[in-house]
Amino acid sequence: MVPDRRRTRRRTFVIPVYIYGHGQGEEPFHDEAHTLNVSSTGALLLLSFPVREGQKLLLTNSFTEREQDCHVVFIGTRRSRTVEAGVAFPETNADFWQLPKSPVTPEGDTAA
């Protein structure tokens, strides 16, 4: 088994977000997307447009209207009309997602 090298724990939450950035030809774009999972250091997004690793984006949390700079660190499963993209924040931002606190078991895992 490969050890988990993530800096922070991921939580599965579907949160609508607005994405802003610049495309290949430096044309600005914006789109609506949603998260598949989130953490205090970033998220896994389901996008309806192509992005590339290293690309800078601006996320807006649709629930709170908070904004957060990020960059693409992972391109995952590509489907006919969507792509999974992992994004990272430049600094840890535990407040961006405004998630409820979950109980923690003695082993450090969140309770089901």
Side-chain angles (χ1 to χ4, degrees), residues 9-109:
R9 185 168 191 66
R10 284 195 215 177
R11 296 180 65 189
T12 302
F13 274 96
V14 175
I15 299 173
V17 293
Y18 297 107
I19 310 288
Y20 302 89
H22 288 88
Q24 295 278 0
E26 298 305 313
E27 290 296 319
F29 67 85
H30 70 278
D31 201 7
E32 294 180 32
H34 68 270
T35 63
L36 297 173
N37 60 56
V38 299
S39 75
S40 62
T41 58
L44 182 64
L45 306 173
L46 188 60
L47 306 174
S48 61
F49 56 91
V51 292
R52 63 189 182 286
E53 283 191 44
Q55 185 172 359
K56 293 181 181 183
L57 302 173
L58 176 67
L59 291 182
T60 301
N61 181 328
S62 296
F63 292 142
T64 64
E65 297 188 10
R66 290 179 182 222
E67 295 181 345
Q68 174 64 57
D69 290 321
C70 63
H71 66 279
V72 178
V73 293
F74 169 79
I75 303 296
T77 305
R78 296 171 199 249
R79 300 179 183 113
S80 62
R81 295 187 177 161
T82 60
V83 62
E84 292 178 5
V87 296
F89 301 156
E91 296 179 10
T92 300
N93 185 350
D95 295 328
F96 180 70
W97 300 113
Q98 294 289 303
L99 298 176
K101 303 288 186 219
S102 62
V104 176
T105 64
E107 294 80 33
D109 293 328

